[in-house]
Amino acid sequence: MKQIQEYEKDIASIRNMMERSSKFISLSGLSGVLSGIYALAGATVAYFTIHYPISPVHFRQYSLQTPEALSKLVLIATLVLAASITTGLWLSHKKAKKHGEKLWNSTSKSLVFNMAVPLVSGGIFILIMLYTGHFGLAAPACLIFYGLALIQASVNTVDEVRYLGFSEIILGLISASVPGYGLIFWTIGFGVLHIIYGGIMYNKYDK
Amino acid sequence: MKNPFDNLDKVLEHRVRLQIMSVLVTNDGYEFSSLKDVLDVTDGNLASHIKALEREKYVSVSKSFIDRKPNTKYKITERGRTAFKKHLDAMEAVIKQQK
């Protein structure tokens, strides 16, 4: 017969296994802050490309007049995305190593798969919108699909990711109802929110 | 009152088996190599405990080839899920009784 402390240890180990086998905890909070900064930098360049010299809060029904401006915007967005993914992978790899875990394990695999479904469908949808000239809803669509991807991913990682996802969706819906301010909402969603939630995660898990 | 110790599952008394069951109850299918990583045990140790759980029909196994490498995946069965839950309830009862 086992001692009572042994059963308590059993229960602790069950909890630990359930957590470790299903949650990817090496996600770096610092990389969230950095992607927020990249997004702010990208948004600044984008502002000078499409709005300047008009103030960003001034209502604009048609912000995209030229195909050159559009291709510049797509290029900026792609650069921000690529820089964010690279930083995220690099810092999470470092963090996983510190915890003696692998970056590419069964949990991170299902994390990537869960995120990919809304991200890829959203990405294609936005490209179709841009191609068919529906520029006004592209920024809100980015925020909404990204929010959905985060909520999907949150099953396999820390809870903050879920709250970030809900915030992105709410922001996206507000943005959709006030056309012309896409860039401002995009900046809040991908810049400010990433810095806030990345900072919370950094304080809670990275230290 | 019945002695709560009688409800404890002898097969699940071992901690490694309990840990295997915890991983399989939370995840829909888990590979042998991933299971080994998360539990931090040796091949032989894991294999012998998995065998014991297979014998009780608590877990089911499916073998396939991915890139010509053998891939073994385990899943919890309904029988295993019920047994795991019953064992947890029994542990809870034991702890409560002692306090």
Side-chain angles (χ1 to χ4, degrees), chain A residues 20-176:
Chain A
R20 277 205 17 215
S21 65
S22 64
K23 301 253 178 203
F24 180 68
I25 46 137
S26 299
L27 196 68
S28 158
L30 187 62
S31 70
V33 176
L34 287 173
S35 10
I37 294 170
Y38 302 153
L40 288 184
T44 311
V45 180
Y47 166 67
F48 283 105
T49 308
I50 56 169
H51 284 297
Y52 191 78
I54 300 151
S55 128
V57 278
H58 192 274
F59 183 82
R60 294 283 308 273
Q61 189 68 47
Y62 299 103
S63 44
L64 282 164
Q65 286 99 340
T66 59
E68 296 92 78
L70 176 67
S71 53
K72 260 191 197 167
L73 283 185
V74 171
L75 180 72
I76 294 167
T78 313
L79 283 177
V80 169
L81 183 70
S84 304
I85 291 175
T86 314
T87 313
L89 284 177
W90 177 54
L91 290 177
S92 298
H93 174 71
K94 260 177 65 173
K95 197 174 164 188
K97 228 171 153 184
K98 212 172 95 186
H99 291 282
E101 287 190 22
K102 286 181 193 156
L103 179 65
W104 195 237
N105 57 23
S106 67
T107 324
S108 57
K109 269 181 215 168
S110 70
L111 178 93
V112 169
F113 180 77
N114 281 340
M115 264 191 109
V117 177
L119 274 191
V120 172
S121 36
I124 295 170
F125 181 67
I126 290 160
L127 286 179
I128 292 171
M129 286 203 320
L130 292 180
Y131 192 72
T132 52
H134 297 87
F135 304 122
L137 287 176
C142 282
L143 291 167
I144 292 168
F145 280 106
Y146 180 57
L148 290 171
L150 287 177
I151 290 171
Q152 284 283 308
S154 69
V155 180
N156 296 108
T157 188
V158 296
D159 286 340
E160 279 72 15
V161 172
R162 182 178 308 125
Y163 307 134
L164 176 60
F166 283 121
S167 314
E168 300 282 5
I169 290 177
I170 292 167
L171 203 64
L173 292 175
I174 299 172
S175 169

Side-chain angles (χ1 to χ4, degrees), chain B residues 3-98:
Chain B
N3 187 353
F5 282 98
D6 296 343
N7 285 331
L8 286 168
D9 194 324
K10 290 280 162 295
V11 185
L12 295 179
E13 283 273 29
H14 201 286
R15 191 166 299 153
V16 174
R17 292 179 195 169
L18 212 47
Q19 290 179 330
I20 296 170
M21 295 297 274
S22 327
V23 173
L24 294 181
V25 89
T26 12
N27 297 279
D28 185 30
Y30 226 71
E31 286 165 22
F32 186 87
S33 54
S34 310
L35 207 52
K36 208 182 77 180
D37 284 343
V38 77
L39 265 69
D40 201 17
V41 289
T42 60
D43 265 29
N45 197 351
L46 180 58
S48 73
H49 286 302
I50 281 261
K51 263 268 139 35
L53 294 173
E54 261 186 82
R55 218 169 15 242
E56 294 294 320
K57 297 205 166 52
Y58 285 176
V59 301
S60 66
V61 54
S62 65
K63 291 184 182 179
S64 62
F65 283 87
I66 294 174
D67 292 333
R68 276 185 241 157
K69 275 191 219 145
N71 175 284
T72 316
K73 206 170 182 178
Y74 295 95
K75 260 187 179 181
I76 197 163
T77 61
E78 262 325 298
R79 193 177 139 83
R81 200 179 290 275
T82 315
F84 183 68
K85 195 179 172 295
K86 210 179 136 208
H87 186 72
L88 285 187
D89 289 342
M91 284 206 297
E92 192 186 16
V94 168
I95 291 170
K96 256 191 197 148
Q97 203 187 43
Q98 302 273 319

